[in-house]
Amino acid sequence: MAALVQAAEEMSAKGEHAMAEALYRKAAEAGDHRAVVKLVNWPGIREDHAAMEAVYRAAITAGDVQSLASLAALRARQGDTAEARMSFAKAIESGSVSALTMYTAFLHNHGEPGELSEAIEHRRRQVAAGDTGALPNLGALLLPHQQVEAEAVLRQGAALLENRCRCLLAALLLDRGATGEAAELVRRVRATGDDLVRGYAERLAEEYELPS
């Protein structure tokens, strides 16, 4: 799929937008998330929620886990919080780092009164009971408004070699300008992570111009 995306970028640079869109669509329908991002931001698609939804659903059918969270956020904006919850749950269970932070935003913006606080307490109890698998979930829930505790939780997970915690901790550190430690976390994720966490780490590296 990389070749399709590269070809689409070349067509777009030449001003051959119809051909570029067709190539991005072909790659997106095969599950390439880079193509999905390009396509949902394409003129004529980004203004049309139904068209965006169709892109996400086709990519999900092809195995693009990252589009599950994007679909969930879109459905939430359209008022379908039931499908949003199911899609977020699938994305988080599959290991998507982005889904963790997007779900926190969903609870803040679309959740029931007190639901975010209840989710935090639930994850705290899990961690206190020794469930280290809840660390990335708790860290993500805490990040927006309780960063001191979030950092402690994410550091605990990172010390256990949990790559989602490493990613979220790297993002937190980069926001503070602590690029050295963040770059080392990204390096470790690149070396040991699966495709989902590596993709998140690569996006951080690109955004903050970290060394390769």
Side-chain angles (χ1 to χ4, degrees), residues 75-98:
R75 294 303 297 160
R77 292 197 298 272
Q78 295 173 318
D80 187 354
T81 57
E83 184 176 6
R85 291 175 191 280
M86 288 189 292
S87 294
F88 274 127
K90 289 178 183 176
I92 291 169
E93 184 178 352
S94 297
S96 169
V97 183
S98 297

Side-chain angles (χ1 to χ4, degrees), residues 10-124:
E10 291 172 357
M11 292 297 101
S12 182
K14 293 177 181 177
E16 299 181 18
H17 300 302
M19 179 61 73
E21 180 183 347
L23 290 171
Y24 280 132
R25 186 175 297 279
K26 185 174 181 180
E29 289 174 351
D32 188 303
H33 193 68
R34 295 165 302 169
V36 172
V37 172
K38 290 285 188 179
L39 200 55
V40 296
N41 287 287
W42 202 259
I45 296 177
R46 64 189 177 211
E47 302 87 1
D48 185 341
H49 284 176
M52 292 175 65
E53 183 176 330
V55 172
Y56 288 137
R57 291 191 186 280
I60 291 166
T61 298
D64 177 27
V65 171
Q66 295 183 74
S67 284
L68 277 167
S70 299
L71 175 64
L74 179 62
R75 294 303 297 160
R77 292 197 298 272
Q78 295 173 318
D80 187 354
T81 57
E83 184 176 6
R85 291 175 191 280
M86 288 189 292
S87 294
F88 274 127
K90 289 178 183 176
I92 291 169
E93 184 178 352
S94 297
S96 169
V97 183
S98 297
L100 290 169
T101 55
M102 292 171 72
Y103 180 61
T104 299
F106 166 78
L107 290 179
H108 180 75
N109 295 318
H110 303 284
E112 299 296 328
E115 187 176 5
L116 177 56
S117 296
E118 290 173 7
I120 290 172
E121 289 305 318
H122 173 64
R123 295 301 185 183
R124 281 177 175 149

